[in-house]
Amino acid sequence: GAVVSQHPSRVICKSGTSVKIECRSLDFQATTMFWYRQFPKQSLMLMATSNEGSKATYEQGVEKDKFLINHASLTLSTLTVTSAHPEDSSFYICSANSGTDTQYFGPGTRLTVL
Amino acid sequence: AQSVTQPDIHITVSEGASLELRCNYSYGATPYLFWYVQSPGQGLQLLLKYFSGDTLVQGIKGFEAEFKRSQSSFNLRKPSVHWSDAAEYFCAVGVPNNNDMRFGAGTRLTVKP
């Protein structure tokens, strides 16, 4: 149980385009989903927290207009990187919990912006 | 706010040897504590967690961790390491009934044949 999927696993895009990453909880309803960014050989940096049906809460320094988060259902959250630039290249990981104080992580999405 | 420190950036052990990865936390009360493992290019897998009760917690893949309040520690142990255990290990601390979870910097484990 507690499986979280992400799609796509890898994406390469041109600078200036937008990219959407999906995060799904497959076997449980996620009251809260989280989006992290991880740079090579570094820890996870929390970008934002989203609850189903409400606006996401962004961490300080994260541009909400750049990283659009939608949590339309209890099993799906999306992160859209708008007008992506090479510095947005990173590993993006989502997680979800069902109100049990335990986060279950997706496999991550490798974004490369050319 | 809570914080967590993993003092060892990189540890190398021989296959079959015992392992201990250190984790120290800072929080005014008893936190929720987690250990996750990450293989290259993958997400994080939960190894074990401590919320309350028995301070020695058993996890998956033969790992265990012990919560020591007096030392503000939650060290991860395994009696005999396998080559497949080579990965990055993250300790995390959370606050009860709060979604705020903080991760340590991670410890990279290399296993020598």
Side-chain angles (χ1 to χ4, degrees):
Chain A
V3 179
V4 177
S5 70
Q6 272 184 250
H7 178 78
S9 57
R10 291 176 181 269
V11 56
I12 301 173
C13 69
K14 293 182 178 180
S15 186
T17 61
S18 294
V19 173
K20 180 186 283 188
I21 302 170
E22 291 186 350
C23 176
R24 293 181 184 272
S25 57
L26 299 184
D27 53 1
F28 66 102
Q29 293 188 325
T31 52
T32 307
M33 287 185 164
F34 306 83
W35 287 97
Y36 293 84
R37 184 173 179 177
Q38 186 180 31
F39 292 101
K41 300 188 186 301
Q42 294 190 27
S43 189
L44 283 74
M45 181 193 79
L46 179 65
M47 300 175 64
T49 302
S50 73
N51 293 293
E52 184 261 341
S54 56
K55 289 185 178 180
T57 301
Y58 290 81
E59 294 299 300
Q60 192 171 10
V62 178
E63 300 175 59
K64 60 181 180 182
D65 295 329
K66 174 100 178 141
F67 299 99
L68 300 179
I69 292 172
N70 183 278
H71 192 164
S73 77
L74 285 172
T75 59
L76 173 64
S77 176
T78 60
L79 167 68
T80 301
V81 183
T82 62
S83 186
H85 291 283
E87 58 267 28
D88 298 324
S89 298
S90 193
F91 193 56
Y92 292 88
I93 308 177
C94 74
S95 71
N97 75 24
S98 59
T100 61
D101 290 313
T102 300
Q103 292 185 30
Y104 296 94
F105 286 81
T109 296
R110 171 75 59 196
L111 170 63
T112 303
V113 185
L114 303 175
Chain B
Q2 73 276 27
S3 65
V4 60
T5 302
Q6 292 179 248
D8 305 305
I9 296 174
H10 183 205
I11 283 182
T12 300
V13 299
S14 298
E15 190 169 17
S18 63
L19 170 71
E20 182 168 27
L21 301 182
R22 295 184 292 166
C23 172
N24 294 98
Y25 70 89
S26 175
Y27 182 63
T30 301
Y32 290 167
L33 295 161
F34 307 83
W35 275 100
Y36 289 89
V37 60
Q38 184 182 34
S39 298
Q42 301 294 316
L44 275 67
Q45 181 182 23
L46 179 67
L47 286 176
L48 48 77
K49 61 185 178 183
Y50 172 80
F51 283 4
S52 65
D54 192 344
T55 56
L56 184 61
V57 181
Q58 301 297 320
I60 62 171
K61 304 185 179 187
F63 286 94
E64 66 177 27
E66 186 171 10
F67 169 59
K68 292 186 177 180
R69 186 190 306 276
S70 61
Q71 298 177 21
S72 298
S73 69
F74 189 57
N75 294 349
L76 182 71
R77 302 194 293 249
K78 186 168 184 178
S80 177
V81 170
H82 188 262
W83 64 266
S84 60
D85 293 324
E88 188 85 20
Y89 290 80
F90 292 97
C91 181
V93 57
V95 175
N97 301 314
N98 186 307
N99 288 317
D100 188 9
M101 189 159 75
R102 303 298 169 93
F103 286 84
T107 297
R108 183 161 59 96
L109 174 65
T110 298
V111 180
K112 292 190 303 184

